[in-house]
Amino acid sequence: MRRKLCIALMAATIVMTSGCGTQSSPEEENVETAEQEVLEAATDASEETQDSASVEAEELESKESENAETDDTGGTEDMTSIYSEILDMFYYRIMTGWDGTEDVSYMFCWDYSSVKSLSDAGYALTDLDGNGVPELLVSPVEDAGNGMIFDLYACVDGEIVHTATSGERFCYYLCEDNSIYYWDSSGASNKTQVNYGLDADTGLLYPKEVVIYDENENKENPWFYGTEECYDKESGFQFDKMSGITEEEAEDICSNYKVSAIKLTLFDEYVPQEDMHPEIMLKKSFHEAAGEERELFFTADDFDGDGRMEAFGAVGTDDGYDLNDVSLYYIDADGTVSCIDTFPIIYAYGGIEAGTHWNPVMDTGSARFICLGGADGQETWLYGVKDGKAYQPEVSGQHADFRKTEDGKYDAQPHEGGEGYYIIYYDFDPVTGEFVPIKSEGDME
């Protein structure tokens, strides 16, 4: 560019200093010829400059276009949106309290889990397999500092794969080379350590190296080494395809798995992509009202069939067999919470593990009821929703055992040790919201 500019300046100088006349001398003709050549060179230089500027502009436009495309398809924000459903789930479950029904590491759900607030856990997007689509790693802050992954997700052909989840005695760790180190042990006599890679086609882990200590397989020489060939998806690791090694060799191999701390984006920095689900909103309201009390159960449903969700929840103490000092709450569709009943004790309901193994809902087809009690001769209490408010139908607390039969009707039996045995059969009237007796058998006092 500098050389082209000098040529153009020379041409201008020659034009300004050359004389004008009717006749030309040989010297003048030589000057005119030189002048013409310089002008042509200057013109060519100008055209080249314009062409070069045009090319540079096109290249810049192309790069800007590429950058725009990258932002649309490969930027961090877009990568986060791939896992938005998973991240939203974590966000709202941390906010409202864990239960054992979610497809996450059960360690999140433990009562002594350190994840009590959105700042206690976070996520990282890391491309483990090098295919340009990052994987999602989720961990509590404390464990992420040690490289431990509670839950690992991959995206394959637009589908989310739950690749791995850690437990109390089996854990996954992120390594510096983006491989995954796995450790498990069920006791002093065995231990498994695996260096995993991630299969980009399936989103699943595959073993690259395996070190196993198993006294049951060989008491005298319990250390074994293998590679991918020693693993079968159906039968697991196969010792006949592994070689025996010493403890020192095992330590040397495993020392190569350099665990890396995971740099998290905390969930209190995450913005959910979807609005709060009604069930989550109701549970949040319940927890805010219950405070530090231990949740015994929480159940959200459309109890009155009006298309809106309500909820019932209970707090108290659980001694593993009975529930004590129980407070029952109703949460209406707008999230207003009210304590509707208390129980000094509810027999034989202990150890229910909030959110798991037990569904207290009785479904009549047109309405639903929370059903409590009935064990060890105690009354059966029913709670439903009518006109937006919680209520007890007339049969609530009148019988020891009130249940739905196979034919869709309902029967009731007396308290244990009552004055006489009887069965009363009921049907449900959706207009009144009451259970109506249709016949009875046995002695009735």
Side-chain angles (χ1 to χ4, degrees):
M1 291 291 293
R2 184 176 180 182
R3 178 174 178 273
K4 294 175 181 177
L5 180 59
C6 290
I7 294 175
L9 290 173
M10 287 173 58
T13 303
I14 294 173
V15 170
M16 292 176 63
T17 55
S18 61
C20 296
T22 56
Q23 289 185 342
S24 300
S25 65
E27 291 80 1
E28 290 174 340
E29 290 179 359
N30 290 336
V31 170
E32 290 176 0
T33 301
E35 179 183 327
Q36 183 64 31
E37 290 176 353
V38 172
L39 286 173
E40 290 176 357
T43 301
D44 291 342
S46 176
E47 291 176 352
E48 289 179 12
T49 302
Q50 293 176 1
D51 291 343
S52 176
S54 177
V55 170
E56 290 175 0
E58 291 177 0
E59 290 178 351
L60 179 60
E61 183 179 354
S62 176
K63 289 181 180 179
E64 290 176 348
S65 177
E66 289 176 2
N67 290 336
E69 291 175 3
T70 300
D71 289 341
D72 290 340
T73 61
T76 301
E77 183 176 353
D78 186 69
M79 292 297 100
T80 301
S81 68
I82 292 177
Y83 297 102
S84 61
E85 184 175 348
I86 301 296
L87 292 170
D88 281 6
M89 179 271 294
F90 273 99
Y91 180 90
Y92 288 127
R93 291 298 172 183
I94 294 172
M95 177 187 292
T96 59
W98 292 99
D99 58 47
T101 62
E102 300 299 336
D103 184 25
V104 299
S105 171
Y106 62 78
M107 292 191 292
F108 275 118
C109 312
W110 289 352
D111 287 339
Y112 57 83
S113 169
S114 60
V115 181
K116 304 299 184 185
S117 69
L118 293 171
S119 60
D120 292 334
Y123 64 93
L125 296 172
T126 304
D127 188 0
L128 301 178
D129 53 17
N131 69 345
V133 179
E135 282 63 51
L136 173 65
L137 293 68
V138 183
S139 292
V141 173
E142 182 177 352
D143 296 282
N146 300 320
M148 185 177 174
I149 305 168
F150 266 37
D151 285 279
L152 173 62
Y153 300 84
C155 181
V156 179
D157 298 329
E159 298 293 329
I160 304 301
V161 178
H162 193 181
T163 303
T165 186
S166 289
E168 184 179 11
R169 304 190 70 160
F170 56 97
C171 307
Y172 294 86
Y173 297 86
L174 176 66
C175 292
E176 292 178 354
D177 62 355
N178 283 346
S179 64
I180 301 295
Y181 169 64
Y182 171 80
W183 175 94
D184 83 43
S185 174
S186 58
S189 63
N190 66 79
K191 180 170 62 176
T192 300
Q193 299 176 83
V194 186
N195 184 237
Y196 280 109
L198 183 70
D199 187 339
D201 294 329
T202 64
L204 301 178
L205 300 175
Y206 66 89
K208 299 194 293 184
E209 283 190 315
V210 182
V211 173
I212 296 179
Y213 175 84
D214 195 324
E215 293 182 0
N216 296 323
E217 185 66 25
N218 190 322
K219 181 69 174 179
E220 300 300 324
N221 299 289
W223 291 97
F224 300 87
Y225 173 79
T227 58
E228 183 177 359
E229 288 72 23
C230 73
Y231 178 77
D232 181 79
K233 291 183 179 180
E234 296 181 359
S235 58
F237 296 111
Q238 300 173 307
F239 286 97
D240 59 344
K241 295 183 179 180
M242 303 179 72
S243 58
I245 58 174
T246 66
E247 182 176 359
E248 291 74 18
E249 289 174 325
E251 291 177 353
D252 287 342
I253 294 169
C254 294
S255 66
N256 294 321
Y257 310 145
K258 306 296 185 182
V259 173
S260 173
I262 303 171
K263 297 180 180 179
L264 298 176
T265 298
L266 301 184
F267 277 105
D268 63 0
E269 302 173 36
Y270 175 70
V271 178
Q273 302 299 300
E274 298 293 334
D275 293 335
M276 186 182 296
H277 188 275
E279 179 179 355
I280 301 298
M281 183 273 290
L282 295 175
K283 194 170 186 179
K284 181 174 182 292
S285 298
F286 167 57
H287 281 190
E288 290 173 350
E292 297 299 320
E293 294 286 337
R294 183 185 187 276
E295 175 190 330
L296 297 174
F297 74 84
F298 173 87
T299 301
D301 210 324
D302 181 6
F303 285 92
D304 56 0
D306 67 349
R308 302 184 72 193
M309 186 172 285
E310 305 86 17
F312 291 90
V315 298
T317 60
D318 182 347
D319 62 15
Y321 185 76
D322 301 324
L323 303 180
N324 300 277
D325 301 319
V326 178
S327 295
L328 180 66
Y329 290 85
Y330 168 64
I331 308 94
D332 71 16
D334 295 321
T336 301
V337 183
S338 55
C339 182
I340 59 173
D341 217 336
T342 58
F343 305 87
I345 187 169
I346 300 179
Y347 294 104
Y349 273 67
I352 59 176
E353 293 297 331
T356 62
H357 312 307
W358 179 59
N359 181 9
V361 176
M362 178 182 287
D363 188 356
T364 69
S366 57
R368 295 174 175 83
F369 293 85
I370 289 289
C371 183
L372 299 176
D376 294 343
Q378 67 183 329
E379 297 88 348
T380 300
W381 298 280
L382 298 174
Y383 300 86
V385 178
K386 183 166 57 176
D387 299 327
K389 298 180 180 180
Y391 81 106
Q392 294 185 67
E394 293 178 1
V395 297
S396 179
Q398 301 301 308
H399 308 286
D401 193 358
F402 187 90
R403 61 190 175 185
K404 189 173 183 178
T405 60
E406 293 182 357
D407 62 358
K409 305 299 182 181
Y410 307 86
D411 66 27
Q413 298 179 16
H415 304 300
E416 184 178 330
E419 297 178 355
Y421 178 79
Y422 62 82
I423 300 178
I424 302 178
Y425 295 93
Y426 289 87
D427 202 354
F428 179 71
D429 184 353
V431 176
T432 63
E434 297 291 342
F435 292 87
V436 181
I438 53 179
K439 64 176 181 177
S440 64
E441 295 178 1
D443 296 329
M444 299 184 61
E445 296 293 331

